[in-house]
Amino acid sequence: MAAIALAFALTPAFAQNTASIPSATVNAGETVVEFRAGYGANDGGAADIYSQRIYVNYAPTGDLRLTAFIEQRRSSDRRDVFRRLSPNAFTQFVQTERWDLAVRRQGDIPLEDGVPGRLRLGLLSTWRFGDVELRSNVYFGREIGENAPDGFLFEMRAAAALRISPSLQIDAQVFNNFISSKTFGDFDRQRHQAGPFVRTRIGKSLRIEARGVLFGLSASSPDVEPRLFAGYAF
């Protein structure tokens, strides 16, 4: 199991990306249930990776959003399977006409023996300029428990979004996962991806996010990764 933990930490298997770039804005009373799926295609004989997540989000107040998701990843050769449960809490500290700021607290509980857990703290910012919205997420963390590696985790995400209509938005996203302070200077051991996505809304509640394709910018990222997110808000 230690070998599995190391494989997910340092190879494209762990790079499967069903993550998003969440807004710092909290909408009181909103509940969202969401399904996410991704497929990471790799060249050079490496196994492809499939990933699924189920999210539940609830905002009991205008400055607190609670989230939990369960995730499974597996390789196309079925040799590697990884599952985790992740509770999250978002607290919004700043809300202005153009800028929102929030803190995200996240814990990852592995559902496999021999795989370390993770604690993570994120700083989320959202800027609005008419129909354009900019988002940034900066994360710091540490793996804990059995087989946890040394070093601190560091990740940055950014998105630029253009709202075409009330039901259509197009984005460009960048994900930069520096893995650990131990690999900070080694670009190809890190996970860097970028790509477009399209977000549509059907009626007031159903949200479909055809995330398009993420392209790997480093050797440890999947070469091509199509993604699809679907959510229902009530």
Side-chain angles (χ1 to χ4, degrees):
M1 297 308 296
I4 293 176
L6 183 62
F8 278 107
L10 298 179
T11 68
F14 195 74
Q16 177 65 35
N17 197 334
T18 48
S20 63
I21 304 176
S23 170
T25 307
V26 176
N27 299 312
E30 183 179 59
T31 301
V32 178
V33 178
E34 188 174 59
F35 172 76
R36 301 180 180 182
Y39 171 77
N42 292 292
D43 292 331
D48 296 342
I49 305 298
Y50 306 91
S51 182
Q52 304 88 36
R53 287 188 187 185
I54 297 176
Y55 267 84
V56 178
N57 299 271
Y58 173 60
T61 68
D63 57 10
L64 177 64
R65 180 167 72 245
L66 303 175
T67 300
F69 68 84
I70 189 167
E71 178 180 31
Q72 174 177 287
R73 303 187 188 108
R74 68 178 177 86
S75 59
S76 56
D77 59 12
R78 299 184 180 272
R79 291 182 179 179
D80 294 323
V81 177
F82 176 76
R83 302 179 183 92
R84 64 171 168 158
L85 175 66
S86 181
N88 296 248
F90 297 76
T91 303
Q92 184 173 347
F93 289 99
V94 176
Q95 184 175 23
T96 69
E97 182 179 353
R98 292 192 179 275
W99 178 52
D100 294 343
L101 180 67
V103 169
R104 177 182 184 178
R105 297 173 298 280
Q106 178 179 353
D108 289 342
I109 304 169
L111 304 181
E112 307 290 332
D113 293 335
V115 178
R118 182 175 66 171
L119 296 175
R120 193 164 69 160
L121 184 69
L123 185 65
L124 283 58
S125 297
T126 301
W127 296 268
R128 290 174 293 272
F129 305 94
D131 292 329
V132 175
E133 181 177 279
L134 305 178
R135 298 182 184 182
S136 72
N137 295 177
V138 179
Y139 294 99
F140 302 90
R142 183 71 185 264
E143 292 190 329
I144 59 174
E146 188 176 2
N147 297 316
D150 295 331
F152 291 91
L153 308 176
F154 178 55
E155 182 178 354
M156 298 177 65
R157 307 174 187 172
L162 175 63
R163 186 169 298 280
I164 305 300
S165 71
S167 60
L168 177 62
Q169 178 177 301
I170 57 174
D171 289 41
Q173 293 188 340
V174 177
F175 292 83
N176 298 294
N177 190 337
F178 297 92
I179 309 296
S180 166
S181 56
K182 297 291 186 179
T183 60
F184 195 81
D186 191 340
F187 182 83
D188 280 332
R189 293 182 65 192
Q190 301 163 3
R191 299 191 293 273
H192 300 276
Q193 296 173 282
F197 75 89
V198 177
R199 177 182 301 174
T200 61
R201 186 179 293 272
I202 302 173
K204 294 183 178 180
S205 299
L206 183 60
R207 183 177 66 200
I208 304 295
E209 300 183 15
R211 294 277 175 149
V213 177
L214 285 176
F215 299 97
L217 306 178
S218 60
S220 292
S221 299
D223 300 302
V224 179
E225 188 171 21
R227 303 188 299 166
L228 176 65
F229 297 5
Y232 187 85
F234 52 91

